[in-house]
Short mmCIF file of all heavy atoms in Angstrom, two decimals:
data_model
loop_
_atom_site.label_atom_id
_atom_site.label_comp_id
_atom_site.label_asym_id
_atom_site.label_seq_id
_atom_site.Cartn_x
_atom_site.Cartn_y
_atom_site.Cartn_z
N VAL A 153 -3.48 -95.37 5.57
CA VAL A 153 -4.50 -95.73 6.57
C VAL A 153 -3.93 -96.85 7.44
O VAL A 153 -3.60 -97.92 6.93
CB VAL A 153 -5.82 -96.17 5.91
CG1 VAL A 153 -6.82 -96.67 6.95
CG2 VAL A 153 -6.43 -95.02 5.11
N PRO A 154 -3.76 -96.60 8.74
CA PRO A 154 -3.16 -97.63 9.60
C PRO A 154 -4.18 -98.70 9.96
O PRO A 154 -5.39 -98.48 9.90
CB PRO A 154 -2.76 -96.83 10.84
CG PRO A 154 -3.80 -95.77 10.94
CD PRO A 154 -4.18 -95.41 9.52
N ARG A 155 -3.65 -99.85 10.36
CA ARG A 155 -4.52 -100.96 10.79
C ARG A 155 -4.26 -101.25 12.25
O ARG A 155 -3.13 -101.16 12.72
CB ARG A 155 -4.22 -102.20 9.94
CG ARG A 155 -4.59 -102.00 8.51
CD ARG A 155 -4.03 -103.11 7.62
NE ARG A 155 -4.57 -102.96 6.28
CZ ARG A 155 -5.74 -103.47 5.90
NH1 ARG A 155 -6.45 -104.21 6.74
NH2 ARG A 155 -6.19 -103.28 4.67
N ASN A 156 -5.31 -101.63 12.96
CA ASN A 156 -5.18 -101.89 14.38
C ASN A 156 -4.31 -103.13 14.61
O ASN A 156 -4.64 -104.22 14.14
CB ASN A 156 -6.57 -102.09 15.01
CG ASN A 156 -6.53 -102.04 16.52
OD1 ASN A 156 -5.71 -102.69 17.15
ND2 ASN A 156 -7.42 -101.26 17.09
N PRO A 157 -3.20 -102.98 15.35
CA PRO A 157 -2.28 -104.13 15.53
C PRO A 157 -2.94 -105.33 16.22
O PRO A 157 -2.46 -106.45 16.08
CB PRO A 157 -1.18 -103.55 16.42
CG PRO A 157 -1.23 -102.07 16.20
CD PRO A 157 -2.67 -101.75 15.95
N TRP A 158 -4.06 -105.11 16.92
CA TRP A 158 -4.75 -106.22 17.60
C TRP A 158 -5.63 -107.01 16.64
O TRP A 158 -5.95 -108.16 16.89
CB TRP A 158 -5.59 -105.69 18.76
CG TRP A 158 -4.75 -105.14 19.86
CD1 TRP A 158 -4.34 -103.85 20.01
CD2 TRP A 158 -4.20 -105.86 20.97
NE1 TRP A 158 -3.57 -103.72 21.13
CE2 TRP A 158 -3.48 -104.93 21.74
CE3 TRP A 158 -4.25 -107.20 21.37
CZ2 TRP A 158 -2.80 -105.30 22.90
CZ3 TRP A 158 -3.59 -107.56 22.53
CH2 TRP A 158 -2.87 -106.62 23.28
N ASN A 159 -6.07 -106.35 15.58
CA ASN A 159 -6.84 -107.01 14.54
C ASN A 159 -6.77 -106.13 13.31
O ASN A 159 -7.35 -105.04 13.29
CB ASN A 159 -8.29 -107.22 14.96
CG ASN A 159 -9.07 -108.01 13.91
OD1 ASN A 159 -8.78 -107.92 12.71
ND2 ASN A 159 -10.06 -108.76 14.35
N LEU A 160 -6.04 -106.60 12.30
CA LEU A 160 -5.71 -105.73 11.17
C LEU A 160 -6.91 -105.31 10.34
O LEU A 160 -6.80 -104.45 9.47
CB LEU A 160 -4.66 -106.42 10.28
CG LEU A 160 -3.33 -106.74 10.99
CD1 LEU A 160 -2.40 -107.55 10.07
CD2 LEU A 160 -2.62 -105.46 11.45
N ASP A 161 -8.09 -105.88 10.60
CA ASP A 161 -9.29 -105.47 9.87
C ASP A 161 -10.02 -104.34 10.57
O ASP A 161 -11.07 -103.89 10.11
CB ASP A 161 -10.25 -106.66 9.72
CG ASP A 161 -9.63 -107.76 8.86
OD1 ASP A 161 -8.84 -107.41 7.95
OD2 ASP A 161 -9.91 -108.94 9.11
N TYR A 162 -9.47 -103.89 11.69
CA TYR A 162 -10.16 -102.85 12.48
C TYR A 162 -9.41 -101.52 12.44
O TYR A 162 -8.21 -101.47 12.18
CB TYR A 162 -10.32 -103.32 13.93
CG TYR A 162 -11.46 -104.30 14.09
CD1 TYR A 162 -11.36 -105.60 13.60
CD2 TYR A 162 -12.66 -103.91 14.69
CE1 TYR A 162 -12.41 -106.49 13.71
CE2 TYR A 162 -13.71 -104.80 14.82
CZ TYR A 162 -13.59 -106.09 14.32
OH TYR A 162 -14.63 -106.96 14.43
N ILE A 163 -10.16 -100.45 12.73
CA ILE A 163 -9.56 -99.11 12.77
C ILE A 163 -8.64 -98.99 13.99
O ILE A 163 -8.81 -99.71 14.98
CB ILE A 163 -10.63 -98.01 12.86
CG1 ILE A 163 -11.49 -98.18 14.12
CG2 ILE A 163 -11.49 -97.96 11.61
CD1 ILE A 163 -11.96 -96.91 14.74
N CYS A 164 -7.71 -98.04 13.89
CA CYS A 164 -6.86 -97.71 15.04
C CYS A 164 -7.51 -96.63 15.88
O CYS A 164 -7.13 -96.39 17.01
CB CYS A 164 -5.51 -97.17 14.56
SG CYS A 164 -4.52 -98.41 13.75
N GLY A 165 -8.46 -95.94 15.30
CA GLY A 165 -8.99 -94.74 15.93
C GLY A 165 -8.19 -93.55 15.44
O GLY A 165 -7.14 -93.70 14.81
N GLY A 166 -8.72 -92.37 15.74
CA GLY A 166 -8.03 -91.19 15.22
C GLY A 166 -8.21 -89.99 16.12
O GLY A 166 -8.91 -90.06 17.10
N SER A 167 -7.52 -88.96 15.81
CA SER A 167 -6.74 -88.86 14.59
C SER A 167 -5.30 -89.32 14.74
O SER A 167 -4.63 -89.57 13.74
CB SER A 167 -6.74 -87.41 14.09
OG SER A 167 -6.05 -86.58 15.01
N SER A 168 -4.79 -89.50 15.98
CA SER A 168 -3.40 -89.93 16.13
C SER A 168 -3.28 -91.45 16.01
O SER A 168 -2.59 -92.10 16.81
CB SER A 168 -2.84 -89.47 17.49
OG SER A 168 -3.11 -88.11 17.71
N GLY A 169 -3.94 -92.04 15.03
CA GLY A 169 -3.99 -93.49 14.89
C GLY A 169 -2.62 -94.11 14.62
O GLY A 169 -2.29 -95.18 15.14
#
Side-chain angles (χ1 to χ4, degrees):
Chain A
V153 174
R155 294 168 172 274
N156 194 311
W158 293 91
N159 184 329
L160 300 174
D161 296 329
Y162 282 72
I163 60 146
C164 292
S167 66
S168 311

